[in-house]
Amino acid sequence: MKDQILNKATEMFLTLGFKSVTMDDIASEMGISKKTIYQHFSNKDNLVKDATTNLFENISCGIDEIILADKDPIEELFTIKEFVMQHLKDENTSPIYQLQKYYPKIHKSLMIKQFDKMGTCVIDNLEKGIQLGLFRKDIRKELISRFYFAGMTSIKDVELFNPKEFSSKTVQSCYLEYHLRGICTPKGTIQLETIINTNK
């Protein structure tokens, strides 16, 4: 039952927002009593914390599987982007905004986990791209990985990127292209444009 509650809560948080969804909403959606939820989660903060941890672990495992498929590094980034967006409900940036605003400690803890995970993945991706001649040899990998993480974090800011004006999918795609055009060799640029044209 605990896993069922966790999965349903995660789904609702991502769809409607971490602040918007109440324990009553989750109980009603599942057809159980609120008391049943409290048997497994002492309060909403604990449920939000476990939900974000669960989501992070699921996404991390999925990214690991994509990396193991050994795609070329440009295609790998596009595949990871699509996978993450599917798990974060594509267009909806509001839940992340609500998490940051109403659960700042949980959000900060999640950001630290994401940085550790993404930092390693991005540096590995950069090294593979350099070896294959797709990325420039003169890039500073540790710095670029931080630029990439900072950018990925910033584009979730709904005040900077109002979802009514810029869809999440458009912002994510443009940011990834922006990142890659800054580090690609001519060979890498050809591969990038092939992928972009294929995905149109």
Side-chain angles (χ1 to χ4, degrees):
M1 177 56 74
K2 183 176 182 178
D3 287 344
Q4 291 175 344
I5 294 169
L6 191 57
N7 290 335
K8 176 54 70 176
T10 302
E11 178 188 327
M12 292 178 72
F13 287 148
L14 287 176
T15 304
L16 302 170
F18 287 92
K19 174 69 173 175
S20 303
V21 175
T22 66
M23 300 295 248
D24 284 317
D25 293 333
I26 298 166
S28 176
E29 182 73 17
M30 295 187 69
I32 60 176
S33 69
K34 193 161 63 170
K35 183 180 177 182
T36 302
I37 298 177
Y38 283 119
Q39 287 174 350
H40 299 283
F41 302 95
S42 58
N43 54 49
K44 187 181 173 185
D45 281 24
N46 284 342
L47 179 54
V48 169
K49 183 179 179 181
D50 285 1
T52 55
T53 299
N54 182 49
L55 180 65
F56 171 78
E57 289 173 353
N58 287 340
I59 290 176
S60 292
C61 287
I63 290 172
D64 288 343
E65 288 181 14
I66 292 168
I67 292 170
L68 284 172
D70 202 29
K71 300 172 183 285
D72 84 62
I74 297 175
E75 185 182 357
E76 181 178 276
L77 287 178
F78 275 91
T79 304
I80 289 172
K81 174 185 72 72
E82 290 298 324
F83 171 78
V84 171
M85 286 193 69
Q86 286 173 10
H87 277 71
L88 295 179
K89 305 293 182 185
D90 289 337
E91 300 292 317
N92 207 339
T93 54
S94 175
I96 304 299
Y97 174 76
Q98 288 190 15
L99 183 67
Q100 183 176 7
K101 184 174 182 180
Y102 297 105
Y103 301 94
K105 288 183 180 179
I106 296 173
H107 180 265
K108 185 175 182 180
S109 174
L110 182 64
M111 286 298 101
I112 292 169
K113 290 179 187 176
Q114 285 182 342
F115 176 75
D116 289 342
K117 177 69 178 179
M118 188 182 287
T120 302
C121 290
V122 173
I123 287 177
D124 289 347
N125 180 272
L126 291 171
E127 288 176 346
K128 186 160 63 170
I130 291 169
Q131 289 171 3
L132 294 173
L134 298 172
F135 300 155
R136 301 194 329 264
K137 291 180 180 179
D138 61 344
I139 59 175
R140 297 178 63 177
K141 298 187 293 290
E142 291 76 13
L143 200 53
I144 295 296
S145 71
R146 283 167 168 74
F147 286 160
Y148 188 68
F149 179 78
M152 288 297 293
T153 303
S154 295
I155 62 176
K156 294 182 178 72
D157 187 331
V158 294
E159 293 179 0
L160 278 176
F161 301 96
N162 188 326
K164 292 179 181 177
E165 189 176 355
F166 308 104
S167 75
S168 178
K169 185 174 183 179
T170 298
V171 173
Q172 294 270 1
S173 297
C174 287
Y175 177 69
L176 181 54
E177 181 181 349
Y178 177 81
H179 165 71
L180 286 166
R181 286 193 184 279
I183 61 175
C184 276
T185 61
K187 177 183 175 182
T189 301
I190 292 171
Q191 171 69 352
L192 170 62
E193 291 177 351
T194 299
I195 292 173
I196 290 171
N197 291 329
T198 301
N199 290 337
K200 279 183 177 177

